[in-house]
Amino acid sequence: MKVIILAAGKGERLYPLTKNTPKSLLQIGEGYTVLESQIRSISLCGVKNIILVCGYKVEQIEAKLKDYNDIDIRIVYNPFFDISNNLVSAWMARYE
């Protein structure tokens, strides 16, 4: 089983919190980011394959994921993140 996480958007409704940080890397409590909380929950369900569709500030997300060696996390880049929506991001993961 695989899980697809859509994390390509700029999170403009959370501005200024997302001015320099992707929404998925915002702290939500107990020292975890939104993305880390999602990965943790998915892992607890026994799923070890995650497809993460990114766009905005993808390099920050890639840096954060270097600590996750026990889970297969594949990053798919959506180059149209700034002008598209979730449907396009989901489409980008179609062959993974």
Side-chain angles (χ1 to χ4, degrees):
M1 178 169 302
K2 297 178 183 178
V3 171
I4 298 172
I5 299 175
L6 304 179
K10 292 170 48 176
E12 290 176 324
R13 288 176 286 205
L14 291 173
Y15 191 84
L17 296 174
T18 55
K19 180 179 180 183
N20 297 310
T21 305
K23 178 171 55 176
S24 60
L25 295 185
L26 293 177
Q27 295 284 326
I28 58 171
E30 298 182 24
Y32 291 105
T33 65
V34 172
L35 182 59
E36 289 172 314
S37 177
Q38 290 174 315
I39 292 171
R40 184 175 179 211
S41 295
I42 291 165
S43 180
L44 288 173
C45 291
V47 177
K48 299 295 181 193
N49 293 329
I50 298 174
I51 300 163
L52 182 60
V53 184
C54 301
Y56 179 66
K57 301 206 179 280
V58 65
E59 64 283 348
Q60 290 182 23
I61 295 171
E62 289 172 330
K64 183 62 131 178
L65 294 177
K66 289 184 180 184
D67 298 332
Y68 290 89
N69 299 322
D70 57 334
I71 301 172
D72 180 22
I73 302 175
R74 297 175 193 229
I75 294 179
V76 175
Y77 180 68
N78 176 1
F80 310 108
F81 72 90
D82 199 26
I83 58 170
S84 65
N85 57 27
N86 282 339
L87 182 60
V88 174
S89 288
W91 183 256
M92 302 300 283
R94 71 191 180 280
Y95 294 119
E96 293 298 319

